[in-house]
Amino acid sequence: MRARMRADRPRVYVVLALALACAWYAPDANALTVRDQAAGAGLAQTTSSYGAYFGDVNGDGRIDILLNRHWQRTSQIFTDRGGGVFGVAATLPLADRHGCAMADVNHDGLMDIYCAQGASDVSGSVVKSNELWMQGPRGQFTNRAGAWGVADPYGRGREVAFFDANNDGWHDLFVGNVGDRTDGIPSPDRLFMNVAGRRFVDSKDPAITRELGGSCVTRRDINGDGWTDLLVCGAGHWGGPIHLFVNQAGKGFADRASQLGISGTAHDARLVDLNGDKRLDLVTIDQTGVRVQLGSATGGWRPPVLVRALVAGYSVAVRDVNGDGAPDIYALQRCANGRNQPDSMLVNSGNGISYTQVAIPEAASGCGDDVESMLYGSAPAFLVLNGFSQSAGPVQLITFG
């Protein structure tokens, strides 16, 4: 008996050593190294803003950035020049430019850019044109929105998205608009279908072509049927009702938000698996907080859980910042009570509903506008804009090591 016990001891020691090693290398939220590297990346500036958008503009295999600086400044296209440095490669002219998206709409191997415009005044009562910047020789852009049928002259444009709605291999286009034009002309959301890379036509889908708004757009196949669905946040100063347009096998869309357990309002939202159960969970942000709805086994979502109370919640992004496999949440706030409200970096415990807050660099000026996740080299990062409306605030590139 004693000999058997002595023979088993090395196994015990190995198990204990492995357990200690796992404990030693377990990601620790408090041990993260957090830096603002915007200056070193060539992205630092103090500016007004309206979102950042990503795509490989010059075809070199690296992801580039369109920094939209709204109607007070020209928009800038930063290309990744390698070595962690970005540089301005092109600008888009001054315009009341809101949400943008990138895709190669005609399959010529060059990235094109679509941007929605507002209606140039507070009431949104003028005729305007959205922009479809077709790339042409490489690096040169020409606005072809009118010729391609996507000018949307009466739409008060907000966020937009390219996706393949009918699985024909061509990028279709969703345009979110704000309604309530003072001249009474409708300003509904639009779904434009790409006709073999030659033009777009308005689908006039009755589920989508309504004055719903478009403060956020998220594209995912929520039910695994091979068709891309759309989650859209409605209109309003702080967002609006959440709509989930489920793709009906390329024959149109149906709003199934309430049937699948989604209610309430949001200004921004993300669909991501937070707890590793292979189901998409829903992260939303509105003025009062960040909420998580875990995906259920029935295909819908469980009731929302408030994971962080806020006073001016506006934009949200997700990325695994500590390497434990569980996506973490960056919650951006706007100004309230006369100052820019602090953002929150929430590190996921792994179950998707409990989080540890980590200190992050705060903007000393401006008002929070947008946050987007990215990789900076191999480091998880968030690009943070603080130039909401007419405010001028810093561009931050917050990285985690």
Side-chain angles (χ1 to χ4, degrees):
M1 177 66 73
R2 291 179 180 174
R4 189 180 302 120
M5 291 177 63
R6 284 195 295 270
D8 288 343
R9 280 177 185 168
R11 296 183 185 178
V12 174
Y13 295 151
V14 169
V15 171
L16 287 172
L18 289 172
L20 288 170
C22 290
W24 180 263
Y25 289 109
D28 181 0
N30 296 317
L32 286 170
T33 301
V34 186
R35 298 187 179 94
D36 181 358
Q37 301 201 62
L43 297 170
Q45 58 181 286
T46 299
T47 182
S48 59
S49 57
Y50 195 109
Y53 308 92
F54 298 84
D56 182 5
V57 173
N58 56 5
D60 65 356
R62 295 191 289 257
I63 298 300
D64 309 309
I65 302 169
L66 169 62
L67 176 61
N68 183 3
R69 302 198 299 170
H70 206 192
W71 58 271
Q72 293 183 313
R73 294 173 174 84
T74 58
S75 298
Q76 299 173 313
I77 299 173
F78 288 84
T79 55
D80 185 343
R81 297 179 176 176
V85 177
F86 292 81
V88 177
T91 61
L92 301 182
L94 195 68
D96 185 24
R97 189 171 294 115
H98 290 167
C100 300
M102 300 188 198
D104 179 3
V105 300
N106 58 355
H107 290 189
D108 65 352
L110 300 173
M111 190 70 73
D112 310 302
I113 301 172
Y114 185 84
C115 293
Q117 288 203 27
S120 299
D121 65 356
V122 174
S123 63
S125 60
V126 302
V127 179
K128 52 80 189 180
S129 173
N130 290 347
E131 305 164 314
L132 177 60
W133 295 101
M134 301 295 294
Q135 189 172 178
R138 192 180 300 275
Q140 299 180 20
F141 294 87
T142 304
N143 184 10
R144 300 291 306 282
W148 278 67
V150 288
D152 197 17
Y154 299 104
R156 298 182 64 191
R158 291 304 184 262
E159 292 299 331
V160 304
F162 283 113
F163 74 111
D164 188 356
N166 55 3
N167 282 0
D168 66 351
W170 297 93
H171 293 285
D172 307 307
L173 174 64
F174 170 84
V175 179
N177 289 315
V178 176
D180 300 326
R181 287 178 60 100
T182 56
D183 55 14
I185 297 175
S187 174
D189 294 351
R190 305 279 188 186
L191 176 60
F192 295 104
M193 306 302 293
N194 189 332
V195 182
R198 298 190 300 271
R199 59 191 173 94
F200 289 89
V201 296
D202 190 344
S203 71
K204 299 182 179 179
D205 187 304
I208 291 178
T209 311
R210 297 181 288 156
E211 290 191 331
L212 302 174
S215 60
C216 83
V217 185
T218 296
R219 305 149 295 168
R220 293 298 296 266
D221 178 3
I222 64 161
N223 50 14
D225 64 355
W227 299 88
T228 303
D229 312 298
L230 283 181
L231 187 143
V232 176
C233 304
H237 190 61
W238 294 97
I242 306 169
H243 304 275
L244 181 59
F245 298 112
V246 178
N247 198 324
Q248 307 298 293
K251 299 177 181 178
F253 289 81
D255 192 348
R256 297 286 188 251
S258 59
Q259 292 94 323
L260 294 173
I262 298 174
S263 60
T265 63
H267 187 270
D268 200 4
R270 295 289 187 269
L271 286 165
V272 62
D273 182 6
L274 293 170
N275 58 359
D277 65 357
K278 310 301 182 184
R279 303 186 187 108
L280 288 175
D281 307 310
L282 175 61
V283 184
T284 61
I285 190 169
D286 65 10
Q287 182 180 3
T288 63
V290 180
R291 292 170 177 82
V292 167
Q293 291 188 247
L294 296 180
S296 71
T298 60
W301 283 270
R302 301 175 192 172
V305 176
L306 179 68
V307 298
R308 177 64 176 169
L310 304 169
V311 297
Y314 200 65
S315 182
V316 67
V318 294
R319 186 169 287 274
D320 178 11
V321 301
N322 62 346
D324 65 353
D328 309 301
I329 300 174
Y330 190 111
L332 175 138
Q333 296 200 87
R334 254 173 52 182
C335 283
N337 304 320
R339 66 182 183 88
N340 193 26
Q341 296 298 311
D343 299 342
S344 295
M345 183 67 238
L346 306 175
V347 175
N348 191 346
S349 69
N351 63 13
I353 56 175
S354 58
Y355 293 82
T356 300
Q357 185 164 337
V358 173
I360 50 177
E362 289 293 341
S365 61
C367 285
D369 168 61
D370 184 36
V371 58
E372 301 292 339
S373 71
M374 60 181 287
L375 284 175
Y376 181 55
S378 60
F382 294 95
L383 186 64
V384 182
L385 307 181
N386 295 285
F388 174 79
S389 188
Q390 300 183 43
S391 302
V395 174
Q396 299 172 286
L397 179 61
I398 300 178
T399 63
F400 298 80

